[in-house]
Amino acid sequence: MFPRYLSSPLLGATLSLGLVGTAVAAPPSYVPLNGNPNGTYRIDAQHTNVFFTIGHVGIAQFTGRFDRISGTYTFNGRHPQRDKVDITIPAASINTNFALRDEHLRSKEFFDVKRYPNITFVGTRYTPDGAHGGTLRGNLTLHGVSKPVVFLVREVGAGEVSYLPKPWGGYLSGFVATTTIHRSDFGMTAYLPEGLSNAIHIEVEVEGVKE
């Protein structure tokens, strides 16, 4: 049974007034900008993410990230052979939300960050596949070893964003790039095969400011 104050005529009238004729307008939809992405961009490190996902002891997936990234990219829709990508990631910026594990990953058994401080990617060729995506080929250097890799690229949006303050505002563009590598190709074989998977899925969410 409801308390007396919840069943009063005054409360019933108040609820009725609040529910009748009070349709709420739906908020406007979020729509990616559809400007021209051509140009050379500086990577905005505060809005760019590098994630990696690895199999853990045969029972689950585990995702970590790198907290620092820098570089530039050039996109030319008419002449994709002129596209350029040059990215650097400090290996010591690895972050798995557990400090002890991060220190282990920085050690000689894994990334050996004192000997190999940077992970780099230099694009060599971009091949469009439709208006908003394609494949990006390039050389990934990890753990002191360089290997060719292929990223699948999807353009998210591009356009002028004047309401954001510097250094984030201006003409921006954004892409998502994914690939899968095998860590043994780069000399990282710790805990193979039973502890950690050889295959590592990589996803890069890139936002850049036009120079």
Side-chain angles (χ1 to χ4, degrees):
M1 186 171 181
F2 291 108
R4 183 176 301 171
Y5 65 85
L6 287 180
S7 58
S8 69
L10 178 60
L11 179 62
T14 302
L15 290 174
S16 296
L17 288 173
L19 294 175
V20 176
T22 57
V24 178
S29 298
Y30 173 83
V31 179
L33 296 181
N34 194 28
N36 187 340
N38 286 353
T40 296
Y41 296 80
R42 171 185 48 80
I43 288 176
D44 175 0
Q46 282 72 48
H47 295 97
T48 296
N49 296 296
V50 181
F51 299 106
F52 62 90
T53 300
I54 189 169
H56 182 241
V57 298
I59 62 167
Q61 290 188 159
F62 181 83
T63 297
R65 68 184 188 272
F66 291 91
D67 286 340
R68 294 175 59 195
I69 181 172
S70 63
T72 60
Y73 62 91
T74 297
F75 183 82
N76 190 316
R78 290 188 175 183
H79 304 283
Q81 69 275 13
R82 299 177 185 175
D83 290 354
K84 298 178 181 179
V85 179
D86 194 336
I87 291 175
T88 298
I89 301 168
S93 70
I94 194 167
N95 187 340
T96 65
N97 295 318
F98 183 39
L100 186 62
R101 177 171 53 215
D102 293 341
E103 285 302 314
H104 187 195
L105 290 171
R106 294 180 185 117
S107 73
K108 292 181 179 180
E109 196 166 21
F110 287 98
F111 285 89
D112 197 359
V113 299
K114 291 184 178 179
R115 187 176 181 185
Y116 308 112
N118 291 321
I119 302 166
T120 62
F121 176 79
V122 179
T124 56
R125 181 160 59 97
Y126 179 73
T127 305
D129 182 11
H132 299 287
T135 55
L136 174 63
R137 290 170 169 79
N139 294 315
L140 175 67
T141 300
L142 170 65
H143 196 245
V145 179
S146 294
K147 294 284 184 180
V149 299
V150 179
F151 281 90
L152 296 179
V153 178
R154 174 175 59 87
E155 179 196 340
V156 178
E160 184 69 37
V161 184
S162 58
Y163 55 83
L164 288 180
K166 291 185 177 180
W168 304 289
Y171 202 94
L172 312 178
S173 75
F175 299 83
V176 175
T178 60
T179 191
T180 298
I181 65 171
H182 291 90
R183 60 191 180 97
S184 63
D185 291 342
F186 298 87
M188 299 178 69
T189 57
Y191 298 94
L192 278 177
E194 67 280 355
L196 298 169
S197 68
N198 195 17
I200 301 176
H201 177 75
I202 298 172
E203 178 168 305
V204 186
E205 302 170 342
V206 176
E207 185 171 310
V209 181
K210 197 170 186 178
E211 294 186 330

